[in-house]
Amino acid sequence: MATLWKPYTIVTSICKSPSHRSPSSSRTSTIIMASAERSGAAARRSPSAWETRISLVLALASQASSVSQRYLVELASETAKYAFPRRRFEARNLEEALMSVPDLETVKFRVLKRTNEYEIREVESYFIAETTMPGKTGFDFNGSSQAFNVLAAYLFGKNITSEQMEMTTPVYTRKSQSDGVKMDMTTPVITNKASSSSPDQDKWQMSFVMPSKYGSNLPMPKDPSVSIKEVPKKMVAVTAFSGFVKDEDVMQRESKLREALRSDPEFQVKEGASVEVAQFNPPFTLPFTRRNEVAVEVERKA
């Protein structure tokens, strides 16, 4: 080692000697030492190609792990909304006691009256995304699936701003009452039949309740079959039932509800009111825990 370092020692000694301090000698020694330092620094700082590949792989693995953790947290959070539903409604019987609804935003209302057969509610205004269902029945599987997929596409980004909105509940299926009625996308999903003045008078309509945080500032849909409407504040009579919804069930329950309201001393069915069905649960929910509601708009008796 001593032999290897002698040239450097000699150069340093020469530079330090008073008899060898000419400008050219100083510049030469400075260049030599600077070159040596740069070479050493380059040797220390330049990783090999193998080390570079390892560093890149580790960085990508760390980023992927972070993204996966966020995705898993979000997935767990969304799953919990369905796996641990809330019981928002007071049960009138055993059937309703077994019902549950997902922990999602829903329409706001207050109960004005409750009987053994129905409940009178005052429902706050809300916005909906609505589309006309194919076919002449409201609850055939193909028609319902097509309408649901169209609305879900709008909710999850098929709009002019590519906004992805939160799911709500229920989904409504109903007959239209009048032109110009506007609705929100939340829960339930609503289906209603078009009025006689509508060109789609033989069609049912499905709607999603919109998240309330958007108010009227909802993104416009790209699909022309989807319309955004506001449903004004209203009073409705509601009766709940479990299982999967069928057209025959809706007809029977609507008839029974209207019959019960005839003897109500305070409220009566509003003229021209049509049936509205709300479905609160995803398809994989067990039938006896599903919550569905049949409703008709009412008004106070004079």
Side-chain angles (χ1 to χ4, degrees), residues 1 34 40 43 60 75-76 81 105 117 121 130 134 143 150 154 172 175 183 219 222-223 232 237 283 288 291 301:
M1 292 293 295
L60 291 174
L75 179 61
K81 293 178 181 179
E105 181 182 357
E117 297 172 301
R121 298 175 186 168
E130 183 182 72
V150 167
Y154 164 72
Y172 285 109
K175 300 175 183 178
M183 299 175 242
K222 289 182 178 180
D223 191 330
F288 65 88
R291 184 179 182 90
K301 290 184 175 180

Side-chain angles (χ1 to χ4, degrees), residues 4 30 55 58 151 172 179 190 196 226 231 236 250:
L4 294 174
T30 301
S55 298
L58 291 175
L151 294 174
Y172 285 109
D179 296 334
I190 306 171
S196 58
V226 178
V231 178
V236 294
V250 172

Side-chain angles (χ1 to χ4, degrees), residues 197-266:
S197 61
S198 169
D200 292 326
Q201 58 181 332
D202 292 328
K203 302 290 186 180
W204 284 76
Q205 294 168 316
M206 179 181 285
S207 58
F208 281 4
V209 181
M210 294 293 99
S212 59
K213 69 179 183 180
Y214 293 96
S216 60
N217 299 317
L218 287 160
M220 295 301 296
K222 289 182 178 180
D223 191 330
S225 68
V226 178
S227 58
I228 306 300
K229 299 179 180 180
E230 182 181 2
V231 178
K233 186 175 181 179
K234 59 182 179 179
M235 291 187 295
V236 294
V238 176
T239 183
F241 63 101
S242 59
F244 292 99
V245 181
K246 299 178 182 179
D247 288 274
E248 296 78 10
D249 292 338
V250 172
M251 292 176 61
Q252 293 176 8
R253 294 178 187 279
E254 178 191 4
S255 178
K256 187 177 179 179
L257 177 59
R258 289 178 181 271
E259 183 64 31
L261 286 167
R262 287 193 180 97
S263 58
D264 192 295
E266 300 178 69

